[in-house]
Amino acid sequence: MVESSSGYKEYVAGLIAGVATVITGHPFDTVKVKLQKHNTEAHGITYKNGLHCTARILKTEGVKGLYRGATPSFVGMGFESSLLFGIYSQTKELLQGGVQSSRPQPLVIIPSAAFSGSIISFVLCPSELVKCRMQVQGTDSLVPKSGRYTGPLDCALKTIKNEGATAIFRGGTTTLLREAIGNAVFFSVYEHVRYYLHLQLKSTSSNHSNLIDMGIGIVSGGLSGIAFWSAVLPLDVAKTIIQTSPDKSSSRNPFQILNSIYRRAGLKGCYTGLGPTFFRAFPANATAIVTWELAMKLLGVRHD
């Protein structure tokens, strides 16, 4: 847990963590989005599982197909991660009233995390809309070639031109719900797992090395990522459908969409993309936390 605020340093560390997360996790995200788009539609291509989808992408598009839509992801995730970690750290310190506590405080962690998650949703929504639309238009896409985007900027401009300026924020409410709830879960798990692992290691060994810190970061970050997606994957499924639907008049109510999926495919349908999401969640979030903590240390922000 951060002992004292260092202004811009939390934001810089968050930015570095965001870039590391995209490098590690984007291929898994591409597979997840394709599964959510195609496997929840009444008609069209259906992948057997995440491995089948990955194999199809590699066969038809190569490795670059797995990084389709990565540019808006780098920009969005870098900025989003910077804001998330920075706002979370500073809001938590504000709510603590300058009094530092080594034990995690849920009444401080949950509102700080939900608030920072709500703020970043305004950055994430447009970047994820562009990312998702780019990801679903691969060679397996039902989108005709004439209607495909040449790049992220082309996608953003055509979306605004064809659907209006507010279209870039399609799925905004669902994104806000996902980020507020998800990050409250994420940081609660992170703070508690980190605290108890440190407590356990302090009682068994007086030797505290950077390697141990990294190990704790991997475990706490990975478990936090899995907890995040376990809590909000259905909302993410709804968000993908809302953002990639070609029909301007289609529903933007996530609960209505999930109800429709549930009636057609049961609970399994609401958790479409669970496999690649979990495979991505552990390494990507472990990378984010380890990178963030290391960057904070290098920038001179102390952890207890």
Side-chain angles (χ1 to χ4, degrees):
M1 290 161 62
V2 180
E3 283 190 351
S4 59
S5 174
S6 302
Y8 73 93
K9 291 182 180 179
E10 287 97 336
Y11 294 90
V12 173
L15 175 65
I16 297 167
V19 172
T21 304
V22 176
I23 294 169
T24 310
H26 192 81
F28 296 99
D29 187 67
T30 298
V31 173
K32 178 204 73 173
V33 169
K34 278 189 175 280
L35 286 171
Q36 288 176 343
K37 172 64 177 174
H38 296 302
N39 283 22
T40 55
E41 291 181 334
H43 307 286
I45 297 151
T46 302
Y47 301 107
K48 294 174 188 175
N49 48 45
L51 283 175
H52 177 228
C53 181
T54 304
R56 283 288 295 270
I57 294 169
L58 289 171
K59 183 180 177 182
T60 56
E61 301 174 66
V63 175
K64 70 175 183 179
L66 291 171
Y67 279 92
R68 185 179 290 277
T71 303
S73 227
F74 273 116
V75 175
M77 184 62 83
F79 189 32
E80 170 261 320
S81 183
S82 174
L83 287 176
L84 176 67
F85 284 106
I87 293 172
Y88 170 71
S89 298
Q90 296 191 331
T91 306
K92 188 174 69 168
E93 186 182 351
L94 185 69
L95 291 178
Q96 284 173 332
V99 179
Q100 296 299 322
S101 171
S102 59
R103 183 179 288 273
Q105 298 173 281
L107 291 178
V108 170
I109 295 166
I110 292 171
S112 299
F115 175 64
S116 56
S118 301
I119 297 297
I120 64 163
S121 70
F122 293 97
V123 177
L124 268 180
C125 183
S127 74
E128 287 205 356
L129 181 137
V130 171
K131 172 186 72 68
C132 288
R133 291 190 174 194
M134 291 292 294
Q135 285 173 321
V136 300
Q137 69 166 21
T139 51
D140 285 344
S141 175
L142 299 176
V143 179
K145 286 190 176 180
S146 59
R148 295 184 189 181
Y149 309 110
T150 57
L153 184 60
D154 180 54
C155 176
L157 292 174
K158 279 183 178 173
T159 297
I160 293 168
K161 181 183 176 183
N162 298 333
E163 302 171 46
T166 57
I168 203 75
F169 285 98
R170 178 189 280 197
T173 302
T174 310
T175 306
L176 189 147
L177 281 172
R178 185 195 71 179
E179 291 303 309
I181 297 167
N183 280 295
V185 172
F186 178 89
F187 281 107
S188 294
V189 172
Y190 164 67
E191 297 280 16
H192 282 85
V193 171
R194 186 176 188 276
Y195 172 75
Y196 286 111
L197 283 177
H198 272 296
L199 206 65
Q200 188 69 28
L201 287 168
K202 278 177 185 175
S203 66
T204 57
S205 172
S206 56
N207 231 347
H208 198 75
S209 68
N210 288 333
L211 200 60
I212 289 175
D213 277 342
M214 189 176 289
I216 291 173
I218 290 170
V219 174
S220 60
L223 292 177
S224 301
I226 287 174
F228 178 106
W229 288 108
S230 297
V232 299
L233 187 59
L235 283 170
D236 188 65
V237 172
K239 182 195 72 70
T240 296
I241 292 167
I242 291 167
Q243 292 187 324
T244 57
S245 173
D247 185 0
K248 298 176 191 177
S249 61
S250 61
S251 173
R252 299 190 188 187
N253 183 327
F255 302 107
Q256 193 174 36
I257 289 167
L258 288 172
N259 184 45
S260 173
I261 293 171
Y262 182 77
R263 287 202 313 269
R264 188 168 65 245
L267 191 61
K268 185 181 176 182
C270 296
Y271 277 87
T272 301
L274 182 68
T277 299
F278 272 15
F279 273 117
R280 171 187 181 270
F282 198 98
N285 287 282
T287 299
I289 289 297
V290 169
T291 306
W292 180 60
E293 290 185 345
L294 181 61
M296 292 278 275
K297 194 174 287 185
L298 291 173
L299 289 166
V301 182
R302 293 173 59 206
H303 283 59
D304 54 18

